[in-house]
Amino acid sequence: MQSEQTDESLAERAARGDLPCFEALVERYRDSVYRICIHSAANLSDAEDWAQECFIRVYRQLPAYDCSRPFAPWFRRVVSNVCINMARGRKRASECVSLGLDEMNEPVSGPGTDPQLAFLTKEAKQAVLKAIGHLEPTLRQAVILRVVEGMSFKEMADVLGVPLPTASTWVRRALIRVRQTLLSDGMEIG
Amino acid sequence: MIICDWVQNRILAYLDGEIGGIRSGVIRQHIAGCKRCQKAIEMLRRAQQVVSSALSTPVAAPGSLTVRVMAAVRSLPPEPPSGSQFRRRE
């Protein structure tokens, strides 16, 4: 049963062309990848395409995965690189903030938002998401891994392939830029 | 100023307890006596709260994603992955 196998075991078999094992990995990671892609693309309509591209890239790179090491950090590194490269490949920064943000503010599924964090109005959330969407790709990826995926800075450093202080600096810069954008748009965030 | 920059570049990791040893002590001592860095911490905490709130909506992938991915993978040209390139540490 694939459901009982570790990620590493599934990845080893998938690397040898066992598609049911790769499908089991897709099932395990699809929500996480989609979440990262939604915020990386800042666009609902692109998120599914980006997620598909991430999984294809993972599949192609599986032969290079060392199964004696944990699968998740390697997997997230591939996904993050795909998202950063796709964001860089966009023709204009304005492309990243388009249709779909309204839908993104409504729970697609899940247990509901944390009431302690749900203090922003819908308009304010839109403004924050827009500001995040305009961050440069590496800073955006850093803030997504930190806030959406809840990674420690050590984990982020591993995934992004940078020293820990750099991961901390990138999140700090991202937060400062989001704040500056919001302030320049007239939003008071304290 | 230079020490402020050094501290602030590590401040979020420090606040999460991810900076250890002597560096942690240097940062703690600096913050205790630096109004600029204390203010920066408050600003970052608030900004992080705001960003967390905006990104906190739970999201699940559409049901079609797995089907799409597997169809795309099946349509890839027949090249690796193959067992011959697979690396395993002994």
Side-chain angles (χ1 to χ4, degrees), chain A residues 12 15-16 19 22-23 27 30-31 34 38-39 48-49 52 55-56 59-60 63-69 104 106-109 113 117 119-120 125 128-129 132 146-148 152-154 164-165 168-169 171-172 175-176 179 189, chain B residues 4-5 8-14 16 18-19 43-70 72-74 76-77 79-83 85-89:
Chain A
E12 179 178 7
R16 292 182 175 142
L19 289 182
F22 184 69
E23 187 168 358
E27 283 292 313
R30 40 180 274 153
D31 288 345
Y34 187 68
I38 277 187
H39 296 299
E48 202 170 342
D49 290 342
Q52 179 178 320
F55 280 114
I56 289 173
Y59 183 74
R60 285 195 178 282
Y65 164 64
D66 176 356
C67 72
S68 69
R69 292 174 179 268
M104 200 158 84
E106 300 301 328
V108 178
S109 71
T113 48
L117 292 175
F119 61 87
L120 291 181
K125 278 190 180 182
V128 177
L129 292 171
I132 293 167
R146 173 73 185 154
V147 175
V148 179
S152 69
F153 287 102
K154 169 78 173 65
L164 187 147
S168 179
T169 301
V171 175
R172 173 177 164 258
L175 293 174
I176 289 172
R179 182 176 183 273
I189 66 165
Chain B
C4 286
D5 288 345
Q8 287 184 28
N9 280 336
R10 289 158 178 78
I11 203 75
L12 292 171
Y14 166 78
D16 270 19
E18 290 192 61
I19 302 280
M43 181 273 288
L44 288 171
R45 278 192 170 136
R46 181 65 186 158
Q48 190 158 289
Q49 260 188 321
V50 167
V51 168
S52 295
S53 177
L55 296 179
S56 63
T57 304
V59 172
S64 57
L65 180 60
T66 305
V67 175
R68 275 187 63 175
V69 168
M70 294 313 296
V73 165
R74 285 191 184 94
L76 289 174
E79 57 175 291
S82 74
Q85 292 183 35
F86 192 73
R87 293 164 53 214
R88 174 166 221 155
R89 289 200 172 169

Side-chain angles (χ1 to χ4, degrees), chain A residues 48-88:
Chain A
E48 202 170 342
D49 290 342
W50 285 38
Q52 179 178 320
E53 180 60 26
C54 287
F55 280 114
I56 289 173
R57 201 71 62 88
V58 165
Y59 183 74
R60 285 195 178 282
Q61 293 189 16
L62 272 175
Y65 164 64
D66 176 356
C67 72
S68 69
R69 292 174 179 268
F71 175 75
W74 177 86
F75 175 83
R76 291 205 163 89
R77 192 174 311 133
V78 176
V79 169
S80 288
N81 285 336
V82 171
C83 287
I84 289 170
N85 288 333
M86 291 188 80
R88 281 181 180 146

Side-chain angles (χ1 to χ4, degrees), chain A residues 87-105:
Chain A
R88 281 181 180 146
R90 280 187 155 137
K91 285 178 237 153
R92 302 185 311 275
S94 58
E95 283 182 42
C96 67
V97 184
S98 59
L99 300 174
L101 291 179
D102 280 341
E103 296 165 58
M104 200 158 84
N105 271 339

